[in-house]
Amino acid sequence: MIMTLVAMLSMTTAFAEGENTNAVNNVEAYKMDINMDQLSKTLNLGIDQREAVENIHHVFNTEITYAAKYGNNDRDAMVKRAIDTDVKRMRAVLNNDQMRTYLILLNTTLNNRGLNK
């Protein structure tokens, strides 16, 4: 009987650790920290553009991180809204070539993190 109790506690603990790991990995996927120097260089941003892109990305990162704390249904809608808003704001700052490159980078990042559905 004691062995059964120990086995049950061990399985419960292992299961709980797996849940915590999945939650942490899930939240980590929503962190959109980027190297702004590298992005600026890749997009060939001017000084004013860089400042605007930094501000837009900061808002996007905050919205995505906030979305990670919600349930799947709400989270998916919040992520989609954050992406749509980010693209709309970036389109106002970047020229066509820069925007094309930015969209490639954004889509690649979202796909790699499993956020693009």
Side-chain angles (χ1 to χ4, degrees):
M1 183 131 164
I2 292 174
M3 294 298 276
T4 304
L5 181 61
V6 170
M8 286 178 53
L9 288 174
S10 297
M11 288 188 302
T12 304
T13 303
F15 180 76
E17 287 175 359
E19 285 291 313
N20 289 341
T21 301
N22 289 339
V24 169
N25 289 339
N26 196 11
V27 171
E28 291 296 318
Y30 291 84
K31 291 189 178 180
M32 295 290 171
D33 298 327
I34 60 168
N35 181 332
M36 194 53 67
D37 291 331
Q38 190 62 41
L39 180 63
S40 178
K41 185 177 178 182
T42 301
L43 296 178
N44 195 24
L45 298 177
I47 294 170
D48 292 338
Q49 283 181 310
R50 180 186 166 125
E51 186 176 322
V53 167
E54 275 186 82
N55 290 334
I56 293 167
H57 181 73
H58 178 72
V59 171
F60 174 66
N61 195 20
T62 302
E63 289 174 349
I64 287 286
T65 303
Y66 189 68
K69 299 175 184 175
Y70 281 82
N72 286 340
N73 292 336
D74 292 334
R75 183 183 312 142
D76 291 344
M78 292 175 79
V79 167
K80 183 179 179 346
R81 190 172 336 123
I83 292 168
D84 291 345
T85 302
D86 179 65
V87 169
K88 179 181 172 186
R89 290 175 179 160
M90 287 294 188
R91 196 172 303 277
V93 173
L94 303 176
N95 65 36
N96 288 337
D97 290 336
Q98 291 169 325
M99 191 64 199
R100 192 173 311 113
T101 303
Y102 179 75
L103 289 174
I104 291 169
L105 293 171
L106 180 63
N107 281 324
T108 302
T109 301
L110 294 172
N111 286 335
N112 288 342
R113 293 171 186 239
L115 301 177
N116 207 2
K117 297 179 182 177

